[in-house]
Amino acid sequence: MKSRTLHTGLSCRNAEYIHTPLIEIVPMESDQQLCEAAATLSEEDILLFTSRFSAIYWHKAMLKMGRSWGSNQIVSIGSTTTRTLESLGATHILQCEKDDSYGVIDTFKDFDNTHRIIFPRSNIALPIIPEGLRKLGFEVKTIDAYQNQMPLHPEMVNLEDIDTIIFTSPSTIDNFIQLYGSLPKGKEYKTRGVVTQHHLEEKLKEIQL
């Protein structure tokens, strides 16, 4: 019998996988934080984007405030985020060599920490990046750019028919547990990124206690 894989991330390129997204991206109720940050952006500030959605919502706020990308240094995680930034007209983009939170911190070790970092992100983003950057001496301004939430009507599948489950972020793991009640035994779990893997390991330990 052919192995069956469940993919819980927002998007899935493999047509052979069963795709049931366990996250949904929606705008914040107010874009005031974004607009204020865009309006007061200095040429010396560094912009940090860790998802394509943060880039999209920041760009909307800039347009609303009559601002442009200008000459600000931009740091990006992942090729998808970089391509989105480029499609929105951004330049001066440095893509982190390592595609995770720790890779971002490593990248900034080569920067002058007198610069302020503007960091639009998810409303449930983990504190790893801002805490790490502040330890390096940077001033970091975090902004809730969008909401990452459980879909209103998430689709459930019969997990007895599933051999492998893929998680793309810590929130997909938390939402899976909320929906199914646990992480079932006898499954192969795959993750995207070190942070998601660590979160999975923590949750598996909790279940075993």
Side-chain angles (χ1 to χ4, degrees):
M1 183 177 175
K2 188 176 180 180
S3 175
R4 303 193 72 188
T5 299
L6 177 66
H7 193 289
T8 63
L10 191 63
S11 59
C12 176
R13 297 179 182 178
N14 193 324
E16 295 185 357
Y17 290 170
I18 299 170
H19 184 215
T20 60
L22 292 185
I23 57 173
E24 180 179 54
I25 304 300
V26 298
M28 298 296 297
E29 292 183 5
S30 170
D31 63 358
Q32 182 178 349
Q33 280 190 40
L34 279 169
C35 289
E36 288 178 353
T40 59
L41 183 69
S42 161
E43 291 182 1
E44 297 299 315
D45 292 334
I46 300 172
L47 290 164
L48 171 59
F49 297 99
T50 54
S51 77
R52 67 184 187 274
F53 301 105
S54 57
I56 290 168
Y57 286 111
W58 174 262
H59 185 247
K60 288 181 178 179
M62 281 201 313
L63 293 179
K64 189 173 181 179
M65 302 309 294
R67 300 295 299 270
S68 65
W69 290 108
S71 59
N72 289 82
Q73 175 69 63
I74 297 171
V75 176
S76 165
I77 279 189
S79 57
T80 300
T81 304
T82 298
R83 286 196 299 269
T84 299
L85 286 162
E86 291 172 340
S87 72
L88 296 172
T91 55
H92 307 290
I93 304 168
L94 173 64
Q95 183 175 314
C96 300
E97 291 185 10
K98 198 174 171 186
D99 188 6
D100 60 36
S101 299
Y102 303 106
V104 171
I105 296 168
D106 287 341
T107 297
F108 274 94
K109 288 178 181 178
D110 295 327
F111 279 76
D112 179 354
N113 65 8
T114 60
H115 292 276
R116 181 177 66 153
I117 299 172
I118 306 298
F119 183 19
R121 59 181 191 162
S122 159
N123 66 315
I124 59 170
L126 297 172
I128 296 170
I129 291 176
E131 287 180 356
L133 295 177
R134 288 179 181 126
K135 286 181 180 178
L136 293 177
F138 289 94
E139 177 188 351
V140 183
K141 180 176 179 58
T142 59
I143 306 158
D144 290 345
Y146 60 91
Q147 297 183 73
N148 179 335
Q149 63 185 30
M150 169 83 91
L152 293 178
H153 303 289
E155 181 182 351
M156 294 185 70
V157 300
N158 184 352
L159 296 179
E160 292 183 1
D161 299 332
I162 300 298
D163 301 293
T164 303
I165 302 171
I166 297 174
F167 297 116
T168 58
S169 66
S171 55
T172 59
I173 298 171
D174 293 340
N175 291 346
F176 182 94
I177 294 172
Q178 180 181 334
L179 183 63
Y180 291 97
S182 183
L183 292 167
K185 296 179 179 179
K187 309 295 181 185
E188 179 183 6
Y189 293 105
K190 295 182 178 180
T191 59
R192 298 288 185 266
V194 175
V195 173
T196 306
Q197 179 62 30
H198 287 173
H199 193 70
L200 174 63
E201 291 169 359
E202 289 175 0
K203 292 300 178 181
L204 289 172
K205 286 179 183 177
E206 290 176 7
I207 291 171
Q208 292 171 359
L209 292 177

